[in-house]
PDB file of all heavy atoms in Angstrom:
ATOM      1  N   GLU F 293     -47.003 -29.248  58.895  1.00 94.00           N
ATOM      2  CA  GLU F 293     -48.100 -28.329  59.219  1.00 94.00           C
ATOM      3  C   GLU F 293     -49.432 -29.013  58.661  1.00 94.00           C
ATOM      4  O   GLU F 293     -49.403 -29.745  57.604  1.00 94.00           O
ATOM      5  CB  GLU F 293     -47.912 -26.943  58.488  1.00 94.00           C
ATOM      6  CG  GLU F 293     -46.822 -26.173  59.049  1.00 94.00           C
ATOM      7  CD  GLU F 293     -46.579 -24.878  58.335  1.00 94.00           C
ATOM      8  OE1 GLU F 293     -47.188 -24.721  57.123  1.00 94.00           O
ATOM      9  OE2 GLU F 293     -46.037 -23.989  58.926  1.00 94.00           O
ATOM     10  N   ARG F 294     -50.477 -28.585  59.174  1.00 95.00           N
ATOM     11  CA  ARG F 294     -51.829 -28.872  58.771  1.00 95.00           C
ATOM     12  C   ARG F 294     -52.600 -27.576  58.700  1.00 95.00           C
ATOM     13  O   ARG F 294     -52.100 -26.485  59.148  1.00 95.00           O
ATOM     14  CB  ARG F 294     -52.675 -29.788  59.742  1.00 95.00           C
ATOM     15  CG  ARG F 294     -52.078 -31.228  59.659  1.00 95.00           C
ATOM     16  CD  ARG F 294     -52.945 -32.157  60.465  1.00 95.00           C
ATOM     17  NE  ARG F 294     -52.507 -33.595  60.228  1.00 95.00           N
ATOM     18  CZ  ARG F 294     -52.848 -34.396  59.225  1.00 95.00           C
ATOM     19  NH1 ARG F 294     -53.820 -34.086  58.392  1.00 95.00           N
ATOM     20  NH2 ARG F 294     -52.413 -35.608  59.211  1.00 95.00           N
ATOM     21  N   VAL F 295     -53.703 -27.528  57.941  1.00 96.00           N
ATOM     22  CA  VAL F 295     -54.510 -26.386  57.814  1.00 96.00           C
ATOM     23  C   VAL F 295     -55.944 -26.994  57.614  1.00 96.00           C
ATOM     24  O   VAL F 295     -56.285 -27.972  57.057  1.00 96.00           O
ATOM     25  CB  VAL F 295     -54.149 -25.636  56.518  1.00 96.00           C
ATOM     26  CG1 VAL F 295     -54.238 -26.324  55.270  1.00 96.00           C
ATOM     27  CG2 VAL F 295     -54.812 -24.207  56.540  1.00 96.00           C
ATOM     28  N   GLN F 296     -56.910 -26.099  58.063  1.00 97.00           N
ATOM     29  CA  GLN F 296     -58.404 -26.497  57.946  1.00 97.00           C
ATOM     30  C   GLN F 296     -58.716 -26.135  56.483  1.00 97.00           C
ATOM     31  O   GLN F 296     -58.515 -24.885  56.115  1.00 97.00           O
ATOM     32  CB  GLN F 296     -59.345 -25.912  59.001  1.00 97.00           C
ATOM     33  CG  GLN F 296     -59.245 -26.665  60.270  1.00 97.00           C
ATOM     34  CD  GLN F 296     -60.524 -26.476  61.154  1.00 97.00           C
ATOM     35  OE1 GLN F 296     -61.033 -25.341  61.078  1.00 97.00           O
ATOM     36  NE2 GLN F 296     -61.040 -27.520  61.699  1.00 97.00           N
ATOM     37  N   SER F 297     -59.374 -27.043  55.821  1.00 98.00           N
ATOM     38  CA  SER F 297     -59.737 -26.857  54.383  1.00 98.00           C
ATOM     39  C   SER F 297     -61.198 -27.365  54.169  1.00 98.00           C
ATOM     40  O   SER F 297     -61.609 -28.232  54.882  1.00 98.00           O
ATOM     41  CB  SER F 297     -58.807 -27.541  53.404  1.00 98.00           C
ATOM     42  OG  SER F 297     -57.552 -27.064  53.668  1.00 98.00           O
ATOM     43  N   VAL F 298     -61.901 -26.736  53.337  1.00 98.00           N
ATOM     44  CA  VAL F 298     -63.248 -27.137  52.964  1.00 98.00           C
ATOM     45  C   VAL F 298     -63.108 -27.838  51.526  1.00 98.00           C
ATOM     46  O   VAL F 298     -62.592 -27.153  50.581  1.00 98.00           O
ATOM     47  CB  VAL F 298     -64.282 -26.014  52.872  1.00 98.00           C
ATOM     48  CG1 VAL F 298     -65.665 -26.545  52.404  1.00 98.00           C
ATOM     49  CG2 VAL F 298     -64.397 -25.458  54.294  1.00 98.00           C
ATOM     50  N   LEU F 299     -63.498 -29.022  51.469  1.00 98.00           N
ATOM     51  CA  LEU F 299     -63.662 -29.851  50.075  1.00 98.00           C
ATOM     52  C   LEU F 299     -65.080 -29.831  49.747  1.00 98.00           C
ATOM     53  O   LEU F 299     -65.950 -30.447  50.512  1.00 98.00           O
ATOM     54  CB  LEU F 299     -62.969 -31.245  50.275  1.00 98.00           C
ATOM     55  CG  LEU F 299     -63.035 -32.009  49.053  1.00 98.00           C
ATOM     56  CD1 LEU F 299     -62.332 -31.412  47.803  1.00 98.00           C
ATOM     57  CD2 LEU F 299     -62.316 -33.348  49.323  1.00 98.00           C
ATOM     58  N   VAL F 300     -65.484 -29.262  48.634  1.00 98.00           N
ATOM     59  CA  VAL F 300     -66.892 -29.194  48.249  1.00 98.00           C
ATOM     60  C   VAL F 300     -67.088 -29.818  46.935  1.00 98.00           C
ATOM     61  O   VAL F 300     -66.379 -29.572  46.060  1.00 98.00           O
ATOM     62  CB  VAL F 300     -67.343 -27.728  48.326  1.00 98.00           C
ATOM     63  CG1 VAL F 300     -68.852 -27.678  47.831  1.00 98.00           C
ATOM     64  CG2 VAL F 300     -67.108 -27.138  49.541  1.00 98.00           C
ATOM     65  N   PHE F 301     -68.119 -30.679  46.874  1.00 98.00           N
ATOM     66  CA  PHE F 301     -68.494 -31.202  45.579  1.00 98.00           C
ATOM     67  C   PHE F 301     -69.978 -30.650  45.250  1.00 98.00           C
ATOM     68  O   PHE F 301     -70.830 -30.807  46.001  1.00 98.00           O
ATOM     69  CB  PHE F 301     -68.636 -32.719  45.614  1.00 98.00           C
ATOM     70  CG  PHE F 301     -67.170 -33.360  45.871  1.00 98.00           C
ATOM     71  CD1 PHE F 301     -66.829 -33.528  47.230  1.00 98.00           C
ATOM     72  CD2 PHE F 301     -66.331 -33.598  44.808  1.00 98.00           C
ATOM     73  CE1 PHE F 301     -65.611 -34.121  47.439  1.00 98.00           C
ATOM     74  CE2 PHE F 301     -65.030 -34.045  45.187  1.00 98.00           C
ATOM     75  CZ  PHE F 301     -64.733 -34.415  46.414  1.00 98.00           C
ATOM     76  N   GLU F 302     -70.077 -30.238  43.957  1.00 98.00           N
ATOM     77  CA  GLU F 302     -71.409 -29.660  43.536  1.00 98.00           C
ATOM     78  C   GLU F 302     -72.085 -30.817  42.596  1.00 98.00           C
ATOM     79  O   GLU F 302     -71.420 -31.686  42.285  1.00 98.00           O
ATOM     80  CB  GLU F 302     -71.166 -28.417  42.751  1.00 98.00           C
ATOM     81  CG  GLU F 302     -70.566 -27.295  43.379  1.00 98.00           C
ATOM     82  CD  GLU F 302     -71.315 -26.742  44.515  1.00 98.00           C
ATOM     83  OE1 GLU F 302     -72.586 -26.962  44.634  1.00 98.00           O
ATOM     84  OE2 GLU F 302     -70.806 -26.041  45.392  1.00 98.00           O
ATOM     85  N   ASN F 303     -73.340 -30.623  42.155  1.00 98.00           N
ATOM     86  CA  ASN F 303     -73.918 -31.465  41.214  1.00 98.00           C
ATOM     87  C   ASN F 303     -74.108 -32.868  41.886  1.00 98.00           C
ATOM     88  O   ASN F 303     -74.251 -33.905  41.085  1.00 98.00           O
ATOM     89  CB  ASN F 303     -73.157 -31.676  39.835  1.00 98.00           C
ATOM     90  CG  ASN F 303     -72.909 -30.280  39.204  1.00 98.00           C
ATOM     91  OD1 ASN F 303     -73.869 -29.471  39.165  1.00 98.00           O
ATOM     92  ND2 ASN F 303     -71.734 -30.115  38.870  1.00 98.00           N
ATOM     93  N   VAL F 304     -74.246 -32.907  43.105  1.00 98.00           N
ATOM     94  CA  VAL F 304     -74.281 -34.293  43.751  1.00 98.00           C
ATOM     95  C   VAL F 304     -75.815 -34.725  43.858  1.00 98.00           C
ATOM     96  O   VAL F 304     -76.715 -34.019  44.299  1.00 98.00           O
ATOM     97  CB  VAL F 304     -73.648 -34.324  45.329  1.00 98.00           C
ATOM     98  CG1 VAL F 304     -73.802 -35.679  45.893  1.00 98.00           C
ATOM     99  CG2 VAL F 304     -72.272 -33.785  45.145  1.00 98.00           C
ATOM    100  N   GLN F 305     -76.015 -35.917  43.322  1.00 98.00           N
ATOM    101  CA  GLN F 305     -77.390 -36.399  43.271  1.00 98.00           C
ATOM    102  C   GLN F 305     -77.716 -37.404  44.479  1.00 98.00           C
ATOM    103  O   GLN F 305     -78.851 -37.526  44.787  1.00 98.00           O
ATOM    104  CB  GLN F 305     -77.633 -37.080  41.979  1.00 98.00           C
ATOM    105  CG  GLN F 305     -77.531 -36.161  40.737  1.00 98.00           C
ATOM    106  CD  GLN F 305     -77.577 -36.879  39.507  1.00 98.00           C
ATOM    107  OE1 GLN F 305     -76.908 -37.897  39.275  1.00 98.00           O
ATOM    108  NE2 GLN F 305     -78.259 -36.221  38.492  1.00 98.00           N
ATOM    109  N   GLY F 306     -76.634 -38.103  44.971  1.00 97.00           N
ATOM    110  CA  GLY F 306     -76.919 -39.033  46.004  1.00 97.00           C
ATOM    111  C   GLY F 306     -75.536 -39.409  46.646  1.00 97.00           C
ATOM    112  O   GLY F 306     -74.514 -39.244  46.011  1.00 97.00           O
ATOM    113  N   VAL F 307     -75.528 -39.819  47.981  1.00 98.00           N
ATOM    114  CA  VAL F 307     -74.392 -40.214  48.667  1.00 98.00           C
ATOM    115  C   VAL F 307     -74.721 -41.584  49.282  1.00 98.00           C
ATOM    116  O   VAL F 307     -75.722 -41.938  49.879  1.00 98.00           O
ATOM    117  CB  VAL F 307     -74.188 -39.204  49.840  1.00 98.00           C
ATOM    118  CG1 VAL F 307     -72.930 -39.715  50.653  1.00 98.00           C
ATOM    119  CG2 VAL F 307     -73.972 -37.751  49.201  1.00 98.00           C
ATOM    120  N   ALA F 308     -73.579 -42.367  49.118  1.00 97.00           N
ATOM    121  CA  ALA F 308     -73.670 -43.710  49.865  1.00 97.00           C
ATOM    122  C   ALA F 308     -72.314 -44.037  50.512  1.00 97.00           C
ATOM    123  O   ALA F 308     -71.351 -43.447  50.166  1.00 97.00           O
ATOM    124  CB  ALA F 308     -73.942 -44.831  48.814  1.00 97.00           C
ATOM    125  N   SER F 309     -72.428 -44.792  51.559  1.00 96.00           N
ATOM    126  CA  SER F 309     -71.084 -45.104  52.263  1.00 96.00           C
ATOM    127  C   SER F 309     -71.037 -46.550  52.676  1.00 96.00           C
ATOM    128  O   SER F 309     -72.043 -47.126  52.760  1.00 96.00           O
ATOM    129  CB  SER F 309     -70.991 -44.240  53.529  1.00 96.00           C
ATOM    130  OG  SER F 309     -71.978 -44.399  54.449  1.00 96.00           O
ATOM    131  N   GLN F 310     -69.854 -47.012  52.889  1.00 96.00           N
ATOM    132  CA  GLN F 310     -69.596 -48.293  53.522  1.00 96.00           C
ATOM    133  C   GLN F 310     -68.472 -48.248  54.391  1.00 96.00           C
ATOM    134  O   GLN F 310     -67.480 -47.481  54.250  1.00 96.00           O
ATOM    135  CB  GLN F 310     -69.345 -49.241  52.458  1.00 96.00           C
ATOM    136  CG  GLN F 310     -67.878 -49.290  51.770  1.00 96.00           C
ATOM    137  CD  GLN F 310     -67.728 -50.361  50.792  1.00 96.00           C
ATOM    138  OE1 GLN F 310     -68.628 -50.880  50.194  1.00 96.00           O
ATOM    139  NE2 GLN F 310     -66.449 -50.745  50.712  1.00 96.00           N
ATOM    140  N   GLY F 311     -68.479 -48.967  55.601  1.00 94.00           N
ATOM    141  CA  GLY F 311     -67.418 -48.926  56.618  1.00 94.00           C
ATOM    142  C   GLY F 311     -67.377 -47.605  57.278  1.00 94.00           C
ATOM    143  O   GLY F 311     -66.333 -47.476  57.950  1.00 94.00           O
ATOM    144  N   ILE F 312     -68.370 -46.791  57.390  1.00 94.00           N
ATOM    145  CA  ILE F 312     -68.428 -45.628  58.091  1.00 94.00           C
ATOM    146  C   ILE F 312     -69.725 -45.436  58.741  1.00 94.00           C
ATOM    147  O   ILE F 312     -70.762 -45.534  58.099  1.00 94.00           O
ATOM    148  CB  ILE F 312     -68.335 -44.408  57.168  1.00 94.00           C
ATOM    149  CG1 ILE F 312     -66.945 -44.346  56.362  1.00 94.00           C
ATOM    150  CG2 ILE F 312     -68.459 -42.994  57.901  1.00 94.00           C
ATOM    151  CD1 ILE F 312     -66.920 -43.305  55.280  1.00 94.00           C
ATOM    152  N   ASP F 313     -69.614 -45.332  60.103  1.00 90.00           N
ATOM    153  CA  ASP F 313     -70.800 -45.126  60.886  1.00 90.00           C
ATOM    154  C   ASP F 313     -71.200 -43.740  61.090  1.00 90.00           C
ATOM    155  O   ASP F 313     -70.603 -42.985  61.972  1.00 90.00           O
ATOM    156  CB  ASP F 313     -70.658 -45.832  62.334  1.00 90.00           C
ATOM    157  CG  ASP F 313     -71.846 -45.829  63.188  1.00 90.00           C
ATOM    158  OD1 ASP F 313     -72.930 -45.156  62.743  1.00 90.00           O
ATOM    159  OD2 ASP F 313     -71.787 -46.319  64.270  1.00 90.00           O
ATOM    160  N   ARG F 314     -72.042 -43.233  60.191  1.00 86.00           N
ATOM    161  CA  ARG F 314     -72.281 -41.687  60.202  1.00 86.00           C
ATOM    162  C   ARG F 314     -72.997 -41.272  61.479  1.00 86.00           C
ATOM    163  O   ARG F 314     -73.063 -40.120  61.655  1.00 86.00           O
ATOM    164  CB  ARG F 314     -73.007 -41.337  58.886  1.00 86.00           C
ATOM    165  CG  ARG F 314     -72.091 -41.560  57.787  1.00 86.00           C
ATOM    166  CD  ARG F 314     -72.673 -40.808  56.473  1.00 86.00           C
ATOM    167  NE  ARG F 314     -73.498 -41.613  55.645  1.00 86.00           N
ATOM    168  CZ  ARG F 314     -74.090 -41.164  54.602  1.00 86.00           C
ATOM    169  NH1 ARG F 314     -74.012 -40.079  54.224  1.00 86.00           N
ATOM    170  NH2 ARG F 314     -74.861 -42.087  53.904  1.00 86.00           N
ATOM    171  N   SER F 315     -73.505 -42.233  62.241  1.00 89.00           N
ATOM    172  CA  SER F 315     -74.295 -41.756  63.478  1.00 89.00           C
ATOM    173  C   SER F 315     -73.112 -41.620  64.684  1.00 89.00           C
ATOM    174  O   SER F 315     -73.476 -41.031  65.676  1.00 89.00           O
ATOM    175  CB  SER F 315     -75.156 -42.916  63.941  1.00 89.00           C
ATOM    176  OG  SER F 315     -74.721 -44.157  64.306  1.00 89.00           O
ATOM    177  N   ASP F 316     -71.961 -42.220  64.464  1.00 91.00           N
ATOM    178  CA  ASP F 316     -70.834 -42.008  65.498  1.00 91.00           C
ATOM    179  C   ASP F 316     -70.108 -40.713  65.179  1.00 91.00           C
ATOM    180  O   ASP F 316     -69.120 -40.754  64.440  1.00 91.00           O
ATOM    181  CB  ASP F 316     -69.909 -43.234  65.355  1.00 91.00           C
ATOM    182  CG  ASP F 316     -68.750 -43.330  66.433  1.00 91.00           C
ATOM    183  OD1 ASP F 316     -68.739 -42.254  67.238  1.00 91.00           O
ATOM    184  OD2 ASP F 316     -68.021 -44.164  66.404  1.00 91.00           O
ATOM    185  N   LYS F 317     -70.597 -39.587  65.742  1.00 85.00           N
ATOM    186  CA  LYS F 317     -70.015 -38.294  65.449  1.00 85.00           C
ATOM    187  C   LYS F 317     -68.614 -38.212  65.978  1.00 85.00           C
ATOM    188  O   LYS F 317     -67.854 -37.326  65.528  1.00 85.00           O
ATOM    189  CB  LYS F 317     -70.969 -37.208  66.027  1.00 85.00           C
ATOM    190  CG  LYS F 317     -72.289 -37.324  65.539  1.00 85.00           C
ATOM    191  CD  LYS F 317     -72.415 -37.015  64.049  1.00 85.00           C
ATOM    192  CE  LYS F 317     -73.822 -36.962  63.675  1.00 85.00           C
ATOM    193  NZ  LYS F 317     -73.963 -37.088  62.168  1.00 85.00           N
ATOM    194  N   ASP F 318     -68.114 -39.130  66.730  1.00 87.00           N
ATOM    195  CA  ASP F 318     -66.802 -39.008  67.292  1.00 87.00           C
ATOM    196  C   ASP F 318     -65.733 -39.736  66.433  1.00 87.00           C
ATOM    197  O   ASP F 318     -64.579 -39.751  66.561  1.00 87.00           O
ATOM    198  CB  ASP F 318     -66.640 -39.540  68.771  1.00 87.00           C
ATOM    199  CG  ASP F 318     -67.405 -38.712  69.687  1.00 87.00           C
ATOM    200  OD1 ASP F 318     -67.409 -37.439  69.549  1.00 87.00           O
ATOM    201  OD2 ASP F 318     -68.032 -39.120  70.694  1.00 87.00           O
ATOM    202  N   GLN F 319     -66.279 -40.600  65.414  1.00 93.00           N
ATOM    203  CA  GLN F 319     -65.407 -41.399  64.648  1.00 93.00           C
ATOM    204  C   GLN F 319     -64.579 -40.510  63.828  1.00 93.00           C
ATOM    205  O   GLN F 319     -65.070 -39.396  63.199  1.00 93.00           O
ATOM    206  CB  GLN F 319     -66.195 -42.222  63.706  1.00 93.00           C
ATOM    207  CG  GLN F 319     -65.286 -43.136  62.819  1.00 93.00           C
ATOM    208  CD  GLN F 319     -66.177 -43.977  61.873  1.00 93.00           C
ATOM    209  OE1 GLN F 319     -67.405 -43.858  61.667  1.00 93.00           O
ATOM    210  NE2 GLN F 319     -65.631 -44.972  61.267  1.00 93.00           N
ATOM    211  N   VAL F 320     -63.253 -40.590  63.764  1.00 95.00           N
ATOM    212  CA  VAL F 320     -62.333 -39.908  62.923  1.00 95.00           C
ATOM    213  C   VAL F 320     -61.830 -40.513  61.581  1.00 95.00           C
ATOM    214  O   VAL F 320     -61.554 -41.691  61.696  1.00 95.00           O
ATOM    215  CB  VAL F 320     -61.024 -39.538  63.810  1.00 95.00           C
ATOM    216  CG1 VAL F 320     -60.088 -38.761  62.867  1.00 95.00           C
ATOM    217  CG2 VAL F 320     -61.477 -38.536  64.990  1.00 95.00           C
ATOM    218  N   LEU F 321     -62.102 -39.847  60.494  1.00 97.00           N
ATOM    219  CA  LEU F 321     -61.672 -40.359  59.266  1.00 97.00           C
ATOM    220  C   LEU F 321     -60.435 -39.903  58.766  1.00 97.00           C
ATOM    221  O   LEU F 321     -60.124 -38.722  58.993  1.00 97.00           O
ATOM    222  CB  LEU F 321     -62.860 -40.135  58.320  1.00 97.00           C
ATOM    223  CG  LEU F 321     -64.259 -40.615  58.665  1.00 97.00           C
ATOM    224  CD1 LEU F 321     -65.273 -40.069  57.596  1.00 97.00           C
ATOM    225  CD2 LEU F 321     -64.360 -42.115  58.703  1.00 97.00           C
ATOM    226  N   SER F 322     -59.652 -40.631  58.060  1.00 97.00           N
ATOM    227  CA  SER F 322     -58.389 -40.280  57.387  1.00 97.00           C
ATOM    228  C   SER F 322     -58.642 -40.511  55.902  1.00 97.00           C
ATOM    229  O   SER F 322     -58.695 -41.729  55.476  1.00 97.00           O
ATOM    230  CB  SER F 322     -57.238 -40.985  57.981  1.00 97.00           C
ATOM    231  OG  SER F 322     -56.082 -40.603  57.291  1.00 97.00           O
ATOM    232  N   LEU F 323     -58.646 -39.434  55.210  1.00 98.00           N
ATOM    233  CA  LEU F 323     -58.842 -39.429  53.727  1.00 98.00           C
ATOM    234  C   LEU F 323     -57.642 -39.968  53.011  1.00 98.00           C
ATOM    235  O   LEU F 323     -56.536 -39.319  53.249  1.00 98.00           O
ATOM    236  CB  LEU F 323     -59.237 -38.070  53.209  1.00 98.00           C
ATOM    237  CG  LEU F 323     -59.618 -37.956  51.750  1.00 98.00           C
ATOM    238  CD1 LEU F 323     -60.807 -38.862  51.358  1.00 98.00           C
ATOM    239  CD2 LEU F 323     -59.847 -36.484  51.313  1.00 98.00           C
ATOM    240  N   LEU F 324     -57.692 -40.996  52.304  1.00 97.00           N
ATOM    241  CA  LEU F 324     -56.632 -41.563  51.491  1.00 97.00           C
ATOM    242  C   LEU F 324     -56.606 -40.984  49.926  1.00 97.00           C
ATOM    243  O   LEU F 324     -55.508 -40.612  49.492  1.00 97.00           O
ATOM    244  CB  LEU F 324     -56.559 -43.040  51.534  1.00 97.00           C
ATOM    245  CG  LEU F 324     -56.462 -43.645  52.847  1.00 97.00           C
ATOM    246  CD1 LEU F 324     -56.509 -45.363  52.698  1.00 97.00           C
ATOM    247  CD2 LEU F 324     -55.175 -43.251  53.549  1.00 97.00           C
ATOM    248  N   SER F 325     -57.711 -40.966  49.371  1.00 98.00           N
ATOM    249  CA  SER F 325     -57.767 -40.581  47.958  1.00 98.00           C
ATOM    250  C   SER F 325     -59.275 -40.084  47.569  1.00 98.00           C
ATOM    251  O   SER F 325     -60.176 -40.471  48.228  1.00 98.00           O
ATOM    252  CB  SER F 325     -57.326 -41.694  47.099  1.00 98.00           C
ATOM    253  OG  SER F 325     -58.143 -42.779  47.099  1.00 98.00           O
ATOM    254  N   VAL F 326     -59.293 -39.497  46.440  1.00 98.00           N
ATOM    255  CA  VAL F 326     -60.408 -39.087  45.800  1.00 98.00           C
ATOM    256  C   VAL F 326     -60.312 -39.461  44.352  1.00 98.00           C
ATOM    257  O   VAL F 326     -59.344 -38.926  43.657  1.00 98.00           O
ATOM    258  CB  VAL F 326     -60.717 -37.498  45.871  1.00 98.00           C
ATOM    259  CG1 VAL F 326     -62.021 -37.118  45.216  1.00 98.00           C
ATOM    260  CG2 VAL F 326     -60.655 -36.866  47.359  1.00 98.00           C
ATOM    261  N   GLU F 327     -61.305 -40.142  43.888  1.00 98.00           N
ATOM    262  CA  GLU F 327     -61.266 -40.715  42.546  1.00 98.00           C
ATOM    263  C   GLU F 327     -62.583 -40.623  41.781  1.00 98.00           C
ATOM    264  O   GLU F 327     -63.563 -40.266  42.425  1.00 98.00           O
ATOM    265  CB  GLU F 327     -61.017 -42.310  42.571  1.00 98.00           C
ATOM    266  CG  GLU F 327     -59.672 -42.615  43.279  1.00 98.00           C
ATOM    267  CD  GLU F 327     -59.508 -44.098  43.662  1.00 98.00           C
ATOM    268  OE1 GLU F 327     -60.466 -44.867  43.437  1.00 98.00           O
ATOM    269  OE2 GLU F 327     -58.370 -44.547  43.837  1.00 98.00           O
ATOM    270  N   PHE F 328     -62.536 -40.561  40.446  1.00 98.00           N
ATOM    271  CA  PHE F 328     -63.675 -40.428  39.758  1.00 98.00           C
ATOM    272  C   PHE F 328     -63.926 -41.685  38.914  1.00 98.00           C
ATOM    273  O   PHE F 328     -63.002 -42.045  38.168  1.00 98.00           O
ATOM    274  CB  PHE F 328     -63.690 -39.174  38.901  1.00 98.00           C
ATOM    275  CG  PHE F 328     -64.874 -38.984  38.052  1.00 98.00           C
ATOM    276  CD1 PHE F 328     -66.086 -38.655  38.685  1.00 98.00           C
ATOM    277  CD2 PHE F 328     -64.909 -39.146  36.597  1.00 98.00           C
ATOM    278  CE1 PHE F 328     -67.257 -38.450  37.971  1.00 98.00           C
ATOM    279  CE2 PHE F 328     -66.023 -38.910  35.926  1.00 98.00           C
ATOM    280  CZ  PHE F 328     -67.223 -38.570  36.512  1.00 98.00           C
ATOM    281  N   ALA F 329     -65.113 -42.256  38.751  1.00 97.00           N
ATOM    282  CA  ALA F 329     -65.439 -43.302  37.929  1.00 97.00           C
ATOM    283  C   ALA F 329     -66.612 -42.844  36.981  1.00 97.00           C
ATOM    284  O   ALA F 329     -67.701 -42.607  37.614  1.00 97.00           O
ATOM    285  CB  ALA F 329     -65.886 -44.513  38.682  1.00 97.00           C
ATOM    286  N   GLU F 330     -66.231 -42.591  35.727  1.00 95.00           N
ATOM    287  CA  GLU F 330     -67.252 -42.167  34.792  1.00 95.00           C
ATOM    288  C   GLU F 330     -68.281 -43.185  34.426  1.00 95.00           C
ATOM    289  O   GLU F 330     -67.909 -44.356  34.301  1.00 95.00           O
ATOM    290  CB  GLU F 330     -66.594 -41.656  33.427  1.00 95.00           C
ATOM    291  CG  GLU F 330     -67.461 -40.970  32.555  1.00 95.00           C
ATOM    292  CD  GLU F 330     -66.695 -40.429  31.374  1.00 95.00           C
ATOM    293  OE1 GLU F 330     -66.519 -41.087  30.375  1.00 95.00           O
ATOM    294  OE2 GLU F 330     -66.309 -39.176  31.546  1.00 95.00           O
ATOM    295  N   ILE F 331     -69.530 -42.868  34.408  1.00 95.00           N
ATOM    296  CA  ILE F 331     -70.596 -43.750  34.190  1.00 95.00           C
ATOM    297  C   ILE F 331     -71.121 -43.491  32.767  1.00 95.00           C
ATOM    298  O   ILE F 331     -71.166 -44.317  31.829  1.00 95.00           O
ATOM    299  CB  ILE F 331     -71.710 -43.733  35.281  1.00 95.00           C
ATOM    300  CG1 ILE F 331     -71.092 -44.003  36.653  1.00 95.00           C
ATOM    301  CG2 ILE F 331     -72.948 -44.724  34.943  1.00 95.00           C
ATOM    302  CD1 ILE F 331     -70.496 -45.468  36.790  1.00 95.00           C
ATOM    303  N   ASP F 332     -71.734 -42.232  32.703  1.00 93.00           N
ATOM    304  CA  ASP F 332     -72.287 -41.896  31.392  1.00 93.00           C
ATOM    305  C   ASP F 332     -71.826 -40.390  31.172  1.00 93.00           C
ATOM    306  O   ASP F 332     -72.473 -39.436  31.778  1.00 93.00           O
ATOM    307  CB  ASP F 332     -73.760 -41.929  31.356  1.00 93.00           C
ATOM    308  CG  ASP F 332     -74.441 -41.740  30.041  1.00 93.00           C
ATOM    309  OD1 ASP F 332     -73.766 -41.641  29.054  1.00 93.00           O
ATOM    310  OD2 ASP F 332     -75.720 -41.452  30.135  1.00 93.00           O
ATOM    311  N   ALA F 333     -70.818 -40.169  30.434  1.00 91.00           N
ATOM    312  CA  ALA F 333     -70.207 -38.893  30.512  1.00 91.00           C
ATOM    313  C   ALA F 333     -71.255 -37.717  30.301  1.00 91.00           C
ATOM    314  O   ALA F 333     -72.153 -37.792  29.545  1.00 91.00           O
ATOM    315  CB  ALA F 333     -69.112 -38.697  29.266  1.00 91.00           C
ATOM    316  N   PRO F 334     -71.028 -36.671  31.168  1.00 94.00           N
ATOM    317  CA  PRO F 334     -70.003 -36.315  32.102  1.00 94.00           C
ATOM    318  C   PRO F 334     -70.331 -36.896  33.628  1.00 94.00           C
ATOM    319  O   PRO F 334     -69.445 -36.665  34.526  1.00 94.00           O
ATOM    320  CB  PRO F 334     -69.922 -34.998  32.153  1.00 94.00           C
ATOM    321  CG  PRO F 334     -71.349 -34.418  31.928  1.00 94.00           C
ATOM    322  CD  PRO F 334     -71.903 -35.487  31.023  1.00 94.00           C
ATOM    323  N   SER F 335     -71.369 -37.679  33.638  1.00 97.00           N
ATOM    324  CA  SER F 335     -71.864 -38.181  35.071  1.00 97.00           C
ATOM    325  C   SER F 335     -70.849 -39.295  35.433  1.00 97.00           C
ATOM    326  O   SER F 335     -70.252 -39.991  34.633  1.00 97.00           O
ATOM    327  CB  SER F 335     -73.344 -38.443  35.177  1.00 97.00           C
ATOM    328  OG  SER F 335     -73.482 -39.546  34.214  1.00 97.00           O
ATOM    329  N   GLY F 336     -70.989 -39.581  36.850  1.00 97.00           N
ATOM    330  CA  GLY F 336     -70.311 -40.708  37.253  1.00 97.00           C
ATOM    331  C   GLY F 336     -70.327 -40.644  38.813  1.00 97.00           C
ATOM    332  O   GLY F 336     -71.128 -40.045  39.456  1.00 97.00           O
ATOM    333  N   HIS F 337     -69.216 -41.382  39.378  1.00 98.00           N
ATOM    334  CA  HIS F 337     -69.240 -41.478  40.758  1.00 98.00           C
ATOM    335  C   HIS F 337     -67.886 -40.885  41.264  1.00 98.00           C
ATOM    336  O   HIS F 337     -66.797 -41.307  40.806  1.00 98.00           O
ATOM    337  CB  HIS F 337     -69.303 -42.884  41.360  1.00 98.00           C
ATOM    338  CG  HIS F 337     -70.641 -43.551  41.110  1.00 98.00           C
ATOM    339  ND1 HIS F 337     -70.746 -44.685  40.514  1.00 98.00           N
ATOM    340  CD2 HIS F 337     -71.785 -43.136  41.295  1.00 98.00           C
ATOM    341  CE1 HIS F 337     -71.949 -45.074  40.379  1.00 98.00           C
ATOM    342  NE2 HIS F 337     -72.810 -44.078  40.820  1.00 98.00           N
TER     343      HIS F 337
END
């Protein structure tokens, strides 16, 4: 089974991407993982 879900992140200051054409609205993405890299606690990426 699948289910539609909303994944939301708060406190976001900026977004960058690579390998994703955000202008291609038909491109389908498959999420593999969500990770956190701390930069200056508690902030990070």
